[in-house]
Amino acid sequence: MELSRRVAGLKPSSTVAVMNRAAALKAQGVPVLSFAAGEPDFFTPDKAKIAGVKAILHNNTKYQPTAGDTETRELLARIMTERNGVPGVTKDHVLVTAGVKMALYLTMQALFDVPAPGQEAQELLLPTPAWVSFAPIGELAGAKVVQMPTTTASGFKITPAQLAAAITPLTRALLLNSPSNPCSTMYTPDELAALAEVIAAAAKTTAPGLVVVADELYQHIVFGDVPFRSIGSFTSIAERTITINGSGKSFAMTGWRIGWVSGSGAFGKRFIEGLTKLQGQTITAVPGFTMAATRAALTECDEDLDRMKHAFKRRAVVMYDALAAIPGVKLARPVGAFYVFPDVSAHFGKSTPGGVKIDSAAAFAEQLLGLHHVAVVPGEDFLGEGYKHIRLSFACDEALILEGAKRLAAFIASLK
Ligand code: PMP
């Protein structure tokens, strides 16, 4: 008996795989330092936890309206309008779902058709390196992923000319993730304006149905000089932009599984109606108490947000300085999210003291974990030039960062 081709061909998440491997070693008593997890080490803010518990005690434990409860959808519409500056968003333009992964899954299912035999697949433009699940989620929906390569030197950002050249009549969507996992760089408002101009122009000619999917999950974890701006706030492309966000990363609420999708104008409303049908036939709705906790996070936890943001800002400096001092390690300065994505390919071709050849990021990460007990994510699955890189999360305390960097430096010094 076989599984479907769709599932049989699906790659497991490499970040989850490293996390599991590190946890298994730890359980055996190995002193592993893990920089693999993409989640804050902080606890969910008390006010959010209390709101969740209160909701449970008040019996908010039954099925919820499919697209989310009215209070949460209205709050998110107000935030998208007032804080993110996106025009044309009402509660009917918002759907609450089980985390940003599900938000992306529903979005891709609603955008792409599986091509009929003999038909060409619609294209999903993806600047790479990109978070490991973007391509699989697009491909599950029938998209052909078209990579737009970026490099450390360009801050891992696509240029307007690169975007203009990549758009064809088959292009259905562009997926933007700023601040970026794994690169931790972000587009400036001017750069977003220039991309929006290209999109608006292409929509008038080459690709009338073009949609921008903006994963803005790291919106609040921004600590450089670049101010955050939603690409959906540019009126020329607002209606063709689908914005995705969630409470997991900003409010240390990854396990509460709350994400949301919002659109704008007539298309945005139809899009959310489509997603609501899909959600109704899959997960039904998200729990009411996790929505209550998220509302509290969004309205009462600004101090917690600030505290965590400042910690990430300090850690970004500690991590960058420690890694930039290691010979043959090249990296961009993180300005948002909580990752560094160093290029370690200068060491490919060398061998460990035991004679194991380091010929890839996977081999590098494997030996670093085995010999020095430091867990990092090898970059291959982030696509593009990711195969030269490793990803380290700095969602952990500064002492751990310094110790991890020391072990990484020792590992690199041992390679010959
Ligand atoms: N998008 C990006 C860019 C992410 O980094 C992650 C989590 N690593 C997700 C989506 C998934 O978020 P969630 O846990 O809310 O599903």
Side-chain angles (χ1 to χ4, degrees):
M1 285 185 287
E2 297 298 331
L3 300 185
S4 68
R5 282 198 298 276
R6 190 185 310 116
V7 169
L10 188 63
K11 255 187 149 178
S13 162
S14 54
T15 50
V16 174
V18 177
M19 273 159 59
N20 291 345
R21 172 121 199 270
L25 283 172
K26 261 188 195 166
Q28 290 166 23
V30 180
V32 173
L33 299 184
S34 182
F35 298 93
E39 69 179 348
D41 54 328
F42 301 110
F43 295 124
T44 298
D46 282 346
K47 284 177 180 156
K49 285 196 283 201
I50 290 165
V53 170
K54 269 192 185 159
I56 292 174
L57 293 174
H58 287 113
N59 297 310
N60 188 348
T61 54
K62 300 286 177 76
Y63 285 138
Q64 295 296 301
T66 309
D69 62 35
T70 302
E71 227 179 318
T72 308
R73 293 173 80 198
E74 278 177 349
L75 173 65
L76 291 170
R78 207 164 60 237
I79 287 173
M80 285 311 291
T81 307
E82 292 169 9
R83 217 187 275 176
N84 291 51
V86 179
V89 189
T90 70
K91 87 167 206 328
D92 297 334
H93 294 85
V94 178
L95 170 124
V96 187
T97 189
V100 167
K101 252 184 194 163
M102 193 63 184
L104 284 159
Y105 184 85
L106 295 173
T107 297
M108 293 300 156
Q109 291 290 324
L111 282 175
F112 287 90
D113 283 307
V114 174
Q119 199 183 32
E120 283 186 276
Q122 296 169 300
E123 294 174 352
L124 172 64
L125 297 183
L126 182 65
T128 55
W131 176 53
V132 292
S133 295
F134 284 140
I137 292 173
E139 284 162 356
L140 276 173
K144 176 182 170 195
V145 173
V146 176
Q147 294 191 40
M148 304 176 69
T150 68
T151 62
T152 312
S154 66
F156 298 107
K157 292 186 273 193
I158 54 165
T159 63
Q162 195 181 2
L163 177 59
I167 297 172
T168 75
L170 285 172
T171 311
R172 176 70 171 124
L174 162 71
L175 210 171
L176 272 190
N177 171 219
S178 174
S180 153
N181 171 8
C183 308
S184 272
T185 53
M186 59 192 284
Y187 291 89
T188 66
D190 285 348
E191 287 165 344
L192 289 175
L195 295 180
E197 218 171 280
V198 171
I199 292 154
K204 288 200 184 105
T205 51
T206 330
L210 181 61
V211 167
V212 180
V213 178
D215 177 337
E216 300 183 345
L217 178 55
Y218 295 94
Q219 162 174 5
H220 296 294
I221 308 177
V222 163
F223 39 76
D225 298 331
V226 184
F228 174 84
R229 176 144 185 196
S230 278
I231 192 161
S233 66
F234 294 97
T235 46
S236 61
I237 60 160
E239 192 168 336
R240 59 178 70 251
T241 301
I242 301 300
T243 306
I244 294 180
N245 211 324
S247 50
K249 310 283 176 168
S250 299
F251 296 100
M253 292 179 73
T254 42
W256 295 79
R257 308 305 304 135
I258 290 285
W260 51 88
V261 186
S262 66
S264 160
F267 174 70
K269 188 158 174 280
R270 263 197 302 127
F271 194 81
I272 294 300
E273 283 164 8
L275 258 52
T276 306
K277 273 197 292 181
L278 206 49
Q279 179 139 289
Q281 294 289 26
T282 51
I283 65 165
T284 303
V286 296
F289 53 89
T290 63
M291 284 190 276
T294 291
R295 285 197 303 278
L298 289 166
T299 55
E300 300 171 32
C301 296
D302 282 0
E303 275 177 29
D304 300 273
L305 201 59
D306 258 16
R307 173 176 50 83
M308 293 188 273
K309 196 161 73 175
H310 281 100
F312 286 130
K313 182 176 181 161
R314 282 196 309 275
R315 294 164 175 187
V317 173
V318 172
M319 181 67 109
Y320 177 86
D321 288 349
L323 296 198
I326 302 174
V329 172
K330 204 168 73 184
L331 73 166
R333 193 176 275 284
V335 295
F338 40 66
Y339 307 99
V340 281
F341 197 53
D343 178 341
V344 292
S345 61
H347 301 290
F348 292 179
K350 298 182 182 173
S351 296
T352 65
V356 178
K357 185 114 182 233
I358 303 295
D359 53 3
S360 64
F364 187 100
E366 172 95 28
Q367 293 304 314
L368 178 61
L369 179 57
L371 299 174
H372 293 261
H373 308 142
V374 175
V376 302
V377 182
E380 283 91 343
D381 288 352
F382 296 95
L383 306 179
E385 77 154 44
Y387 71 93
K388 297 179 184 171
H389 297 250
I390 54 172
R391 190 194 75 174
L392 293 89
S393 154
F394 52 83
C396 54
D397 73 43
E398 289 170 34
L400 191 75
I401 294 172
L402 290 172
E403 175 59 23
K406 211 163 94 186
R407 293 192 198 178
L408 176 64
F411 172 64
I412 284 179
S414 76
L415 299 176
K416 292 282 166 327

